[in-house]
């Protein structure tokens, strides 16, 4: 199993450009999520999904869109990049449950710089 | 509101010294608490969870509901413990899978 994969590893964008960060998992996990990691802020949840066709906003959703057409993929779209979106982005997945939590598996991250 | 606070950005200790990474939380129900670790150039991974009540790599953490804390402890630090540590909270019985993370603490173990 490859686990959770993310592409690209690094990206530089100009302000106003759009792009999609890719995330895929091969563990048949229902739950997937996107976080951004900023110094002194920890990891903040952007969007999450509890299954194909179902997405919801996290703590910091503005400026980002997601969709979940398959169980395996959960792309994150930046609509019009801003310098404030410079960050490291992590995708994670786990089994979904309404009871006790399962371990979340993280991807390697995408380091995004917006100039 | 759900919140996780890790008051120390950096904790620096010498090899063999005891380590305690602090974590306090705010949650009205019965939360689940976790510690995740990120070693240099590696992915974020689960270290331990309070439900398991186990020791991983010599680390333990006890949930103290009275003090709303979940501090991570190790009696004798090793150089390979140097990493970023995140405390995280999930919503217990009303869980939807979401994790709320603290700000993270960098542990530096000096030789």
């Amino acid at each position: 199993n490859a686990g959770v994969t993310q592409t690209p590893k690094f990206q530089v964008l100009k302000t106003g450009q759009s792009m999609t960060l890719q995330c895929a998992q091969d563990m048949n996990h229902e739950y997937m999520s996107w976080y951004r990691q900023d110094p002194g802020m920890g990891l903040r949840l952007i969007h999450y999904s509890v299954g194909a066709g179902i997405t919801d906003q996290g703590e910091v959703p503005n400026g980002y869109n997601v969709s979940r057409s398959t169980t395996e993929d959960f792309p994150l779209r930046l609509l019009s990049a801003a310098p404030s979106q410079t960050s490291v982005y992590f995708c994670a997945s786990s089994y979904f449950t309404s009871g006790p939590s399962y371990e979340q598996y993280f991807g390697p991250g995408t380091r995004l710089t917006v100039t | 509101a759900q919140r996780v606070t890790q008051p120390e950005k950096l904790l620096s200790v010498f090899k063999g010294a005891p380590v305690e990474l602090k974590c306090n939380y705010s949650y009205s129900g019965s939360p689940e608490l976790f510690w995740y670790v990120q070693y240099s150039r590696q992915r974020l991974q689960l270290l331990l969870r309070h439900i398991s009540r186990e020791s991983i790599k010599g680390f333990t953490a006890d949930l103290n509901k009275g003090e709303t804390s979940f501090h991570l402890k190790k009696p004798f630090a090793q150089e390979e413990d140097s990493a970023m540590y995140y405390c995280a909270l999930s919503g217990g019985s009303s869980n939807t899978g979401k994790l709320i993370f603290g700000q993270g603490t960098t542990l530096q173990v000096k030789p």
Side-chain angles (χ1 to χ4, degrees):
Chain A
N1 283 357
V4 180
T5 58
Q6 291 183 237
T7 55
K9 288 187 178 179
F10 303 94
Q11 183 70 50
V12 179
L13 290 178
K14 291 187 181 341
T15 297
Q17 287 184 317
S18 63
M19 80 159 294
T20 300
L21 307 185
Q22 301 292 345
C23 174
Q25 52 91 11
D26 61 359
M27 297 174 282
N28 204 30
H29 286 166
E30 301 98 329
Y31 180 85
M32 296 185 74
S33 56
W34 277 101
Y35 295 88
R36 57 177 291 173
Q37 182 186 42
D38 301 291
M41 305 289 285
L43 279 83
R44 292 180 291 170
L45 183 65
I46 304 172
H47 284 285
Y48 67 99
S49 167
V50 299
I54 306 170
T55 64
D56 205 348
Q57 297 180 350
E59 182 185 355
V60 287
N62 292 343
Y64 307 94
N65 271 359
V66 291
S67 60
R68 183 97 179 270
S69 56
T70 67
T71 300
E72 294 78 20
D73 300 298
F74 191 44
L76 178 71
R77 296 184 189 84
L78 279 69
L79 309 172
S80 177
S84 61
Q85 293 178 305
T86 293
S87 187
V88 181
Y89 291 85
F90 289 98
C91 180
S93 75
S94 74
Y95 291 108
F96 173 73
T97 175
S98 59
S101 296
Y102 288 101
E103 175 180 355
Q104 290 204 15
Y105 293 84
F106 283 80
T110 294
R111 186 174 295 274
L112 175 68
T113 302
V114 183
T115 61
Chain B
Q2 299 177 18
R3 187 181 301 121
V4 177
T5 303
Q6 294 177 249
E8 303 139 327
K9 281 189 179 179
L10 172 66
L11 183 62
S12 185
V13 302
F14 285 101
K15 178 182 172 181
V19 170
E20 182 179 52
L21 288 82
K22 293 188 179 353
C23 172
N24 289 90
Y25 67 90
S26 172
Y27 185 73
S28 57
S30 295
E32 290 182 60
L33 276 297
F34 306 83
W35 278 97
Y36 279 79
V37 61
Q38 187 176 27
Y39 299 103
S40 179
R41 297 193 181 89
Q42 293 189 27
R43 305 177 183 215
L44 199 67
Q45 58 188 286
L46 178 68
L47 180 63
L48 55 78
R49 54 199 302 171
H50 89 270
I51 284 181
S52 302
R53 302 184 66 83
E54 57 192 346
S55 173
I56 304 292
K57 300 185 178 182
F59 285 98
T60 59
D62 290 319
L63 179 60
N64 186 322
K65 292 187 178 181
E67 296 183 359
T68 59
S69 68
F70 188 56
H71 303 326
L72 183 68
K73 301 178 183 179
K74 185 169 182 176
F76 307 104
Q78 303 298 316
E79 289 183 68
E80 55 265 30
D81 296 330
S82 296
M84 173 73 89
Y85 291 80
Y86 288 99
C87 183
L89 174 153
S90 183
S93 59
S94 61
N95 172 54
T96 58
K98 293 191 292 182
L99 284 178
I100 306 297
F101 283 86
Q103 301 91 328
T105 298
T106 299
L107 174 62
Q108 183 184 75
V109 181
K110 297 178 283 190

